[in-house]
Amino acid sequence: MARSYPSIILSTLLLFLPLLTGVEAEAKKFPVVVSTWPFIEAVRAAWRAVDNGSSAVDAVVEGCSACEQLRCDGTVGPGGSPNEKGETMLDALVMDGVTMEVGAVAAMRYVKDGIRAARLVMKHSQHTLLAGEGASAFAISMGLPGPMNLSSPESVNKWSDWKENRCQPNFRKNVVPANDCGPYKPIDVSREVLTEYSCEMGTAEYRLPLVGPHSHDTISMAVIDKMGHIAVGTSTNGATFKIPGRVGDGPIAGSSAYADDEVGGCGATGDGDIMMRFLPCYQVVESMRQGMKPEKAAKDAVSRIARKFPDFVGAVVAVDKNGSHAGACHGWTFQYSVQSPDMDDVQVFTVLP
Ligand code: SD4
């Protein structure tokens, strides 16, 4: 039976519609770079890479590396956040949303290139996370410069002022110091003992506000490349005056960042000691997998933490596989930066708590 003209036109259209929609979506929305905070030069660096055809992983490394070199806000890369001993240590992670491979370094000493070290772990080992001096030795053996001192005049000054202030505030709790700055001895947390050891004696019941409303730190970045593949990365020098050996959320996949090509990606910033207990970025990506839009997924992940820790400070930024993005925060005003094909330059979005 001969087919009518309208039915021929309709079936031809149906044949081409998915293809046209796909091409259109890709041409409009990819590549995309999303980063925590107004780390504009970092986003530009990632954008340059991905716009020139780099993979999402390479662009994430370029972007985070630019932030390390610029020492964004003094809290990414070398020269910031001295620990109790005055030393700077780095946490970093990179994740490929295609293969679900992760490379990360934690409390890394003597090597300034955190994100490049993380990528070396991913590329040249079967491990996911290397820590401390092992991470430094591996990074140097794979060609990164080092060993070197990661302190700066600013970090040394900050540390000296803190020492002069009897090492207060600090991250210890339920301890009593032999002297102002330790060594510390654990004490029973029962009420009687707490009244016995007053604050004057240095019992550290005080919790150091890691990040205040005016200080932001940690770059966490997601990139969707021209092929639509997603990667994420994080780089930070962590919490100021942390106990040596402390590892934050930065190198923990699912906490500071997470990506799955099938769904999207996420980056986080804030009080990592709290946030890493909730794997907020894993939560965001899994919520988007279940059908939540980025905004709802981001808000949901943050509210899960806030319900248990109403005083925590933190934020997440979510991007789905189509390039739609949204942020959510608690305890501070959050900003994140985006560059996509419809923008001439990086745009900064502000999210209120
Ligand atoms: C950490 N999450 O080491 C980092 C610090 C941070 O905004 O992101 N501050 O806990």
Side-chain angles (χ1 to χ4, degrees):
M1 198 177 78
R3 294 167 73 194
S4 65
Y5 275 122
S7 92
I8 292 170
I9 291 168
L10 187 67
S11 41
T12 314
L13 266 178
L14 285 176
L15 198 70
F16 282 101
L17 200 58
L19 188 67
L20 285 175
T21 315
V23 169
E24 241 182 50
E26 192 165 304
K28 264 198 211 145
K29 300 194 175 160
F30 305 143
V32 181
V33 177
V34 178
S35 167
T36 53
W37 304 118
F39 293 148
I40 288 170
E41 288 309 324
V43 174
R44 284 185 184 144
W47 177 259
R48 272 194 301 276
V50 77
D51 199 37
N52 280 332
S54 289
S55 70
V57 169
D58 286 347
V60 159
V61 171
E62 285 311 308
C64 293
S65 184
C67 224
E68 289 169 359
Q69 281 159 44
L70 291 165
R71 305 180 175 197
C72 287
D73 277 348
T75 55
V76 180
S81 304
N83 65 15
E84 281 186 353
K85 292 213 161 103
E87 189 180 351
T88 298
M89 294 184 178
L90 305 183
D91 286 347
L93 163 145
V94 64
M95 178 169 192
D96 182 339
V98 182
T99 61
M100 306 306 278
E101 285 176 297
V102 173
V105 290
M108 184 173 70
R109 314 172 75 182
Y110 313 136
V111 176
K112 65 179 174 45
D113 302 297
I115 195 81
R116 291 192 191 282
R119 183 177 46 186
L120 288 169
V121 173
M122 183 164 93
K123 212 168 159 186
H124 300 295
S125 85
Q126 294 182 43
H127 298 308
T128 290
L129 171 60
L130 295 181
E133 288 183 26
S136 327
F138 179 80
I140 292 167
S141 75
M142 291 290 113
L144 288 182
M148 65 183 70
N149 184 349
L150 300 188
S151 298
S152 64
E154 296 78 42
S155 67
V156 170
N157 283 341
K158 205 172 196 178
W159 181 67
S160 316
D161 291 349
W162 178 76
K163 294 279 280 184
E164 266 171 38
N165 194 37
R166 302 166 61 211
C167 299
Q168 296 293 328
N170 61 50
F171 283 96
R172 311 248 171 193
K173 69 176 188 183
N174 305 322
V175 294
V176 62
N179 298 300
D180 281 349
C181 295
Y184 299 91
K185 271 201 333 211
I187 55 165
D188 194 331
V189 291
S190 68
R191 210 169 260 153
E192 304 81 76
V193 180
L194 283 181
T195 42
E196 191 182 323
Y197 293 106
S198 72
C199 281
E200 272 310 292
M201 290 175 71
T203 311
E205 274 300 299
Y206 180 85
R207 189 177 154 77
L208 178 73
L210 170 72
V211 275
H214 303 296
S215 64
H216 16 90
D217 37 39
T218 296
I219 183 160
S220 204
M221 175 178 273
V223 173
I224 309 182
D225 66 22
K226 287 185 171 172
M227 307 293 289
H229 297 317
I230 304 181
V232 289
T234 299
S235 181
T236 182
N237 51 33
T240 309
F241 310 130
K242 59 190 170 250
I243 299 170
R246 182 260 190 187
V247 172
D249 58 336
I252 308 300
S255 191
S256 75
Y258 197 68
D260 184 335
D261 244 31
E262 293 169 8
V263 182
C266 166
T269 177
D271 185 345
D273 289 305
I274 301 294
M275 293 175 81
M276 68 197 294
R277 301 169 188 173
F278 294 83
L279 297 181
C281 277
Y282 179 78
Q283 185 63 53
V284 163
V285 171
E286 290 310 307
S287 295
M288 292 197 296
R289 194 193 301 281
Q290 299 305 320
M292 276 191 205
K293 297 268 179 246
E295 187 179 353
K296 188 148 187 242
K299 281 186 174 156
D300 172 70
V302 167
S303 71
R304 284 166 188 257
I305 309 174
R307 274 204 297 277
K308 303 277 186 182
F309 293 94
D311 297 332
F312 102 100
V313 170
V316 299
V317 57
V319 55
D320 71 14
K321 64 178 180 185
N322 300 314
S324 304
H325 50 81
C329 58
H330 185 84
W332 59 4
T333 297
F334 174 52
Q335 288 187 302
Y336 69 94
S337 311
V338 180
Q339 185 148 13
S340 58
D342 52 343
M343 298 173 184
D344 290 336
D345 198 358
V346 182
Q347 279 184 20
V348 175
F349 293 79
T350 300
V351 185
L352 300 173

